[in-house]
Each structure stands twice: as C-alpha cells, then as structure tokens.
Amino acid sequence: MRATTLHGPQDIRLSEVPDPTIEADTDAIVKVVAGCICGSDLWPYRGLNDIVPGNTIGHECVGVVEEVGSAVSSFRPGDFVVVPFDHCDNTCVHCAAGMQAACTHLGFTTSGQAEFARVSQAEGSLVKTDGMPDAALIPSLLALTDVMATGWHAAISAGVGPGSTAVVVGDGAVGLCGVLAAKQLGAERIIAMSRHEPRQAVARRFGATDVVAERDKEGVARIMELTGGVGADSVLECVGTGDSMKTAFKIARPGSTVGFVGVPHDVVLPVQAMFGRNIGLAGGMAPVRKYLPELLELVTTGAIDPGLVFDSTLPLDQVADGYAAMDERRAIKVLLQP
Amino acid sequence: MRATTLHGPQDIRLSEVPDPTIEADTDAIVKVVAGCICGSDLWPYRGLNDIVPGNTIGHECVGVVEEVGSAVSSFRPGDFVVVPFDHCDNTCVHCAAGMQAACTHLGFTTSGQAEFARVSQAEGSLVKTDGMPDAALIPSLLALTDVMATGWHAAISAGVGPGSTAVVVGDGAVGLCGVLAAKQLGAERIIAMSRHEPRQAVARRFGATDVVAERDKEGVARIMELTGGVGADSVLECVGTGDSMKTAFKIARPGSTVGFVGVPHDVVLPVQAMFGRNIGLAGGMAPVRKYLPELLELVTTGAIDPGLVFDSTLPLDQVADGYAAMDERRAIKVLLQP
C-alpha cells in the first residue's frame, strides 16, 4: 500500500510498504477514508524524537472495516469506524476504571497516514457510525480520533464546569478543541491564548469569549487583569513546553487544577508554588475510547463541529507539503485523503 | 508571658516575651489551654529553614478567648475556640471558593507554644465549642487545628471515596490522621506505610487494614502485590521528601490522584510518568477553616478521636524535651500545657 514514512529530520515520504495484516485474532484492518497530521508528529519530523528510519507514521484515521480477526464480533467489513489513536480492550481493570489510556492491552494506530491501518483490540477500541456518514461529517469524525478527545480530556481533567472561567494555553488543534470542550461543558468565560489570527478565529467560533495574544509575563498579566486578579477556575495546558506550563500555573487560581494533555518536553513542575497555592495537575494521554460515544453523539447531532480545525485538505501523495505547512504554522491541521 | 522561642539549631527555649496584643480590630487574643509541636517545626529546629533567632514558635493551639478587636462580633471573652493554624477572613474570593489557605488576609498562629496567641481575622477563623469542652476532648480538638485537617485535606485531595483502596505514605501525626480521614471517607482498604511499631498501632486503631513496613523499592513492590498489580485508587503523601513522593507516584494506579500535604523539600515531580499514566497531583497547605465545622462535629460526637496522635503530654516548661523527643522519633506528637 501507499503509506507515509519518516526517514530523518524533514525527510517525510510517501512509500510503498506491505499492507498491514491480521496478526492477532483481536485485530481489524481498516481502509482509511481520511487521516491527518498531528502536532505531535512534528516532534519526530523535526528530529527531536528518536525514530526508526522508514517506519510508517500517523495515528489518526477513520475508515471502513476491511477485515476482522476471529475474536472481533461487533464489527464486520463495510462498517464505518472511528479509530481511537490509543487502542484498548475496554474491559481490563484500568479500562473499567475509565482509564483506557492505560489499558493492559494498549496499542496504537501506526499507519494512519496511509491506505490501510491495523487496529489492535478492535472489539474494545472501535466505534461505528450509523451507516456511512455524510462526507461533510468526515473531518469532525476524524477529529474525534485524537484532538477533540484530547481537548475534552484537558477540560475534564481541569474540572471545567458550568459558569466557570477557563483559560486555554495553546492554539494548536488540541487547544482549539479544548475551547470547544470548555464551551460544551458550560464554561461561561473562555479565554484562548493565541497570537495567530486564523486560529483566533476558530477559537472564537468554538466559543472563546476572549483572546489573549500576549505570551509569558505579559500574557499572565493580561489573564490576571481579565479575571480581576483571581486567576482562572480551570486551565487547559495544551502545549507541553516548559514555558507554557509555567504560564498555566501562574494563571490558575488557588485551589484549581491545570489539565495537561501536551506531551511534556523540558518541563519542570513548580512544586512549591503548587503546594503553596493548592494548584493541582491532572491529565495525560487521553483515554479516547472513554469519551467517544458521547463525542460521536455530539458530532452527529451537530452540537459540535471539531472538524473546523482542518484548514487544509491534501491528497495523500502531497503529505510532505502537509508536514511543511504545519511545521511552518501555515496550516492548523492537515487532512489527508488516500 | 512564657513562650517557646527558637534561637538556633536545637536551641529551643522557654522565654519571657511581651504578651501579644490586639493590633487590628479583626484580631483576638486567645489564652492557650493546649498547644503542641508539629513535624514541620522540626525543619527550623534542625536548622534546615532560615529563622529569626528569638522569635516565638508554634502554630497549633486551642484555648479561651481573652480579648477581641472591635470588628469581632461572634466571639467574646470566655469562649472556648479551636484556632486554625492558617487564619482567614472566610469571606474573600478564595475563601468563598473553599480555598481558605489562600485567603487574601491570610495569617498564622505564631505563638501556639506559649501562654497566649494572637489570632488575626478572628471572626472568619475561629470556631467555638458548645461550652467548655471536657478535658478528655482537648487533644482531639487540638488535632483539628492542623494535623487532622491536613490529613483530611490529603484524603479529599486524593479523592478517597467509598469502597476504595487508599495508601498513606508517612506515619507522622498527619499520616496517621490521613488514615483516620480515609476511613471516615469510606475507604475499604487502607494501607499505612510505617515501620515504627507504636505508629503502626495508632494506624490500625484509626482504620488501617494493612501495614507495610518496607520502604522505597521494596515498599512499592509490596503495595503492588497487595493491590493485585493495579496500584492504589488514592495515595496520601504526608511527608514531602523526594523519596516519599517517588513512592507515591509509583503506587498510584493510572487515572488516580496523589494528595500531597507535606511541605515539599527537594522534590522533583515525575512529569513524564504523571503524563503517561494519567496520575494527578492535588493538595497543598490545608484550608483548615473549611473543614473545621464538619471535623468538630465528628470529634464532639465521638466519631473520630484524632487526639490519639498525642503520645506525650508535657508542661510548657519542658518544651525542649518535647522537641528532642519528636526529633529522635521517640514521640509521635507532643502536647504542651501552659
């Protein structure tokens, strides 16, 4: 099949690789209808993570079931499915406790930017739509496989509730979905930290009541001013750098929680400040499957449209252009059509 | 008055100092009936915190109101009061949100190991008993001023709920009160980490179902064995050292929260592990006043008896012996009678 492969820094290619196959009776093979590029794919693309040259890449996709293993009974070829980037059996002790991201059979989509993807633990992981979805819904369904569920996890972890004030640090697709999640969870005031006009526009469309373009010290001062010196009831940290985390803890009000979903890079947590001001930290890799049924309902009823984070759609053979566009922040998020 | 003063490492004395006086109309002066020594007093006593030589020490006391400022209307001379170590107005934006430890008028008891103590924000801080309490209740009332409220805060922050498994790291008075709090909040299994027989006995009396004497790697292995490889639903970190915090994160199950109340010393939080396993951190300095009405009810009805953490009672003039006994771990907690 044609699949995206990474060979070194900035060296991303569309290659011919063997089709994925059923390796365990719990697997399914999905024919990808739409895949996409994630902000976290940029870390290896930029040479900041170790890679195995030639490996396929891409952990987000939706598509049609092509084949299932003998232990998969709820899905059959032809079903349209949403594939959580983190696969789980949805029955183990951690899944049962609602932490599917720590499933004892955890697996990941590894060829989402390709023609086919293997899903381990298909029975527990997949969620199917009611028939073939309208083409217009595809971007929003695709967003559920990672970024929307991750933004939702940030908002849930940060304890966003009705009438509250939430600040979202980070204007990538996850941060924007965090705005949408905060809105859906009833936040009354939602402050998006963003200095990029196209992202500000999506943030406002998703429910941001205020946009703060300043960063670091100036950004903190502006948030404190906007919250009457109190700080935010909830902070969604959707970046994962040392600077963004510092900002998050400075704008969180005493007794609140920072919900973090950006893979941490060079982060030192301010434990003394957390103790002194009773600011908690919660979150991590999103248990996508946990949230999928609820989010799918919100998408199919039109209550949310997270697909708006895709501001670029490319055929799969232009995947390298897609990476470059995201790397240079010319695109928020790129959808790929095999 | 006679008051405990600290002059240098291990140099603790009973001295004659001026009586505290009403400095603001929100103050009250309390004649101390019982004070005590806190584990956190050992940091300056050991020379590990900066001190001002000759300053009074002691942040826990109960007693009788001697005098009140003109803005104090709910208390009058003769009232028996429990004094939260952290004073608050109980009306500011942070108090109203339940985070009295971050009150905009935050103050502290600074001469609890003395004959008299000044309470700032008396109206918001103090809680009085229904008449003069029985002498037998004094230790438990005294425990409410800090350690019991702090153990409670650890349990609440860690999300201890009915039927859950809680592990308490630390067998000081706060850790023991954490056991009592976990029991009261419905934990079904409570594992106390302690290798000191007298403390193990109190832990069991407070509701510990298991005691783990091993520490560090061996302690972690034992807890994982006891929890069937899953880890604890809630971890109460009641020490504040790097080692205890490491242990706490290793025994917490994915998706759970470490509640921390030990002032952190040399702690580096394992942000990658927290992210990868979705383990949160919450807690900090306890908002004592928030919990006082509920805890006072539990004490006066005999539902809890946190006063059992006091295994030594000394007249105030033997305060130096009390510090030495706690420093050498010969006593769990020392009650002082002026």
Side-chain angles (χ1 to χ4, degrees):
Chain A
M1 67 170 178
R2 293 176 305 132
T4 306
T5 51
L6 182 62
H7 300 261
Q10 267 81 27
D11 185 0
I12 196 100
R13 307 177 195 167
L14 193 70
S15 310
E16 266 302 322
V17 304
D19 285 0
T21 55
I22 299 288
E23 294 174 17
D25 58 6
T26 47
D27 287 354
I29 303 298
V30 170
K31 183 173 165 61
V32 176
V33 169
C36 54
I37 304 171
C38 185
S40 66
D41 293 331
L42 297 178
W43 290 98
Y45 175 78
R46 290 169 177 164
L48 299 172
N49 284 3
D50 289 337
I51 65 159
V52 178
N55 268 15
T56 59
I57 188 168
H59 54 267
E60 299 155 285
C61 69
V62 294
V64 175
V65 172
E66 180 84 7
E67 190 186 353
V68 297
S70 60
V72 180
S73 60
S74 303
F75 302 91
R76 59 182 64 191
D79 285 342
F80 188 93
V81 289
V82 179
V83 186
F85 80 87
D86 43 355
H87 312 160
C88 61
D89 61 25
N90 215 18
T91 57
C92 80
V93 63
H94 299 311
C95 286
M99 193 31 71
Q100 284 85 344
C103 176
T104 56
H105 291 110
L106 189 67
F108 297 95
T109 304
T110 56
S111 63
Q113 298 158 8
E115 289 182 284
F116 294 96
R118 190 174 75 89
V119 183
S120 62
Q121 302 301 324
E123 186 71 17
S125 304
L126 297 174
V127 173
K128 63 182 160 191
T129 56
D130 202 8
M132 285 304 269
D134 196 85
L137 268 191
I138 298 287
S140 285
L141 295 173
L142 180 59
L144 299 187
T145 66
D146 183 348
V147 289
M148 183 62 214
T150 297
W152 192 262
H153 189 50
I156 294 282
S157 300
V160 175
S164 64
T165 294
V167 178
V168 181
V169 182
D171 63 0
V174 170
L176 295 171
C177 287
V179 170
L180 189 54
K183 174 75 180 172
Q184 195 61 33
L185 291 165
E188 193 173 289
R189 191 166 197 188
I190 304 170
I191 307 173
M193 298 188 79
S194 170
R195 50 180 186 180
H196 298 265
E197 203 282 317
R199 295 163 192 244
Q200 293 176 349
V202 178
R204 288 198 185 274
R205 185 141 173 200
F206 278 175
T209 53
D210 302 83
V211 169
V212 168
E214 295 89 343
R215 286 192 171 192
D216 302 327
K217 229 179 223 183
E218 291 71 29
V220 169
R222 185 81 187 103
I223 299 283
M224 293 312 287
E225 189 187 325
L226 284 171
T227 58
V230 173
D233 298 325
S234 297
V235 178
L236 287 66
E237 201 292 307
C238 303
V239 183
T241 62
D243 283 346
S244 62
M245 200 67 96
K246 260 185 215 158
T247 296
F249 282 104
K250 282 186 181 155
I251 60 180
R253 69 180 291 166
S256 71
T257 304
V258 172
F260 80 131
V261 292
V263 183
H265 287 82
D266 297 321
V267 168
V268 178
L269 295 172
V271 65
Q272 297 291 348
M274 292 170 74
F275 183 90
R277 300 176 59 229
N278 268 273
I279 299 174
L281 179 68
M285 191 167 80
V288 177
R289 178 59 179 81
K290 174 186 188 178
Y291 304 128
L292 261 191
E294 181 177 4
L295 294 178
L296 182 58
E297 175 75 11
L298 291 173
V299 162
T300 52
T301 58
I304 61 172
D305 46 4
L308 289 173
V309 296
F310 294 104
D311 56 349
S312 167
T313 296
L314 294 175
L316 183 57
D317 59 14
Q318 289 177 34
V319 62
D321 295 337
Y323 270 83
M326 281 184 61
D327 184 38
E328 295 158 19
R329 290 180 78 86
R330 283 185 282 112
I332 301 175
K333 194 168 176 74
V334 176
L335 186 148
L336 298 168
Q337 292 173 321
Chain B
M1 67 170 179
R2 292 176 304 133
T4 305
T5 50
L6 181 61
H7 300 260
Q10 267 81 27
D11 184 1
I12 196 101
R13 307 178 196 167
L14 192 69
S15 310
E16 265 303 320
V17 304
D19 287 358
T21 55
I22 300 288
E23 295 175 15
D25 57 6
T26 48
D27 288 353
I29 304 299
V30 170
K31 183 173 164 60
V32 176
V33 170
C36 55
I37 304 171
C38 184
S40 67
D41 292 331
L42 297 178
W43 290 97
Y45 175 78
R46 289 168 179 165
L48 299 171
N49 285 3
D50 289 337
I51 64 158
V52 177
N55 267 14
T56 59
I57 188 169
H59 54 268
E60 298 155 287
C61 68
V62 293
V64 175
V65 173
E66 179 85 5
E67 190 185 353
V68 296
S70 60
V72 180
S73 59
S74 303
F75 302 92
R76 58 182 66 191
D79 286 343
F80 188 94
V81 289
V82 179
V83 185
F85 80 87
D86 44 356
H87 312 161
C88 61
D89 60 23
N90 215 20
T91 56
C92 80
V93 64
H94 299 311
C95 287
M99 192 33 71
Q100 284 84 344
C103 176
T104 55
H105 291 110
L106 189 66
F108 297 96
T109 304
T110 56
S111 63
Q113 299 158 8
E115 289 183 283
F116 295 96
R118 191 173 73 90
V119 184
S120 62
Q121 302 301 326
E123 187 73 17
S125 304
L126 297 174
V127 173
K128 63 182 160 192
T129 57
D130 202 6
M132 285 304 271
D134 197 84
L137 267 191
I138 298 288
S140 285
L141 295 173
L142 180 57
L144 298 187
T145 65
D146 182 349
V147 288
M148 182 62 213
T150 297
W152 191 262
H153 189 49
I156 293 282
S157 299
V160 174
S164 65
T165 293
V167 178
V168 180
V169 181
D171 62 0
V174 170
L176 295 171
C177 287
V179 170
L180 188 55
K183 174 74 179 173
Q184 194 62 32
L185 292 166
E188 193 173 289
R189 191 165 198 189
I190 304 169
I191 307 173
M193 299 189 79
S194 172
R195 51 181 183 176
H196 298 265
E197 203 282 317
R199 294 163 191 244
Q200 293 176 350
V202 177
R204 287 199 186 274
R205 187 142 173 202
F206 277 174
T209 54
D210 302 82
V211 170
V212 167
E214 295 90 343
R215 287 192 171 192
D216 303 328
K217 229 180 221 180
E218 292 71 29
V220 170
R222 185 80 187 105
I223 299 283
M224 293 312 286
E225 191 187 325
L226 284 171
T227 58
V230 173
D233 299 324
S234 296
V235 177
L236 287 67
E237 201 292 308
C238 303
V239 183
T241 63
D243 284 346
S244 63
M245 200 67 97
K246 262 185 212 155
T247 296
F249 282 105
K250 282 185 181 155
I251 60 180
R253 70 180 291 167
S256 70
T257 304
V258 172
F260 81 133
V261 292
V263 183
H265 287 83
D266 296 323
V267 168
V268 178
L269 295 173
V271 65
Q272 297 292 348
M274 292 169 75
F275 184 90
R277 302 176 58 231
N278 268 272
I279 299 174
L281 179 67
M285 190 168 79
V288 177
R289 179 59 179 82
K290 174 184 188 177
Y291 302 129
L292 261 190
E294 182 177 4
L295 294 178
L296 182 59
E297 176 75 11
L298 290 172
V299 163
T300 53
T301 58
I304 61 172
D305 46 5
L308 290 173
V309 296
F310 293 104
D311 56 351
S312 168
T313 296
L314 294 175
L316 183 57
D317 58 15
Q318 290 177 35
V319 61
D321 295 338
Y323 270 83
M326 281 183 62
D327 183 37
E328 295 156 20
R329 288 180 78 88
R330 284 185 281 112
I332 300 174
K333 193 167 178 72
V334 176
L335 186 148
L336 298 168
Q337 293 173 320

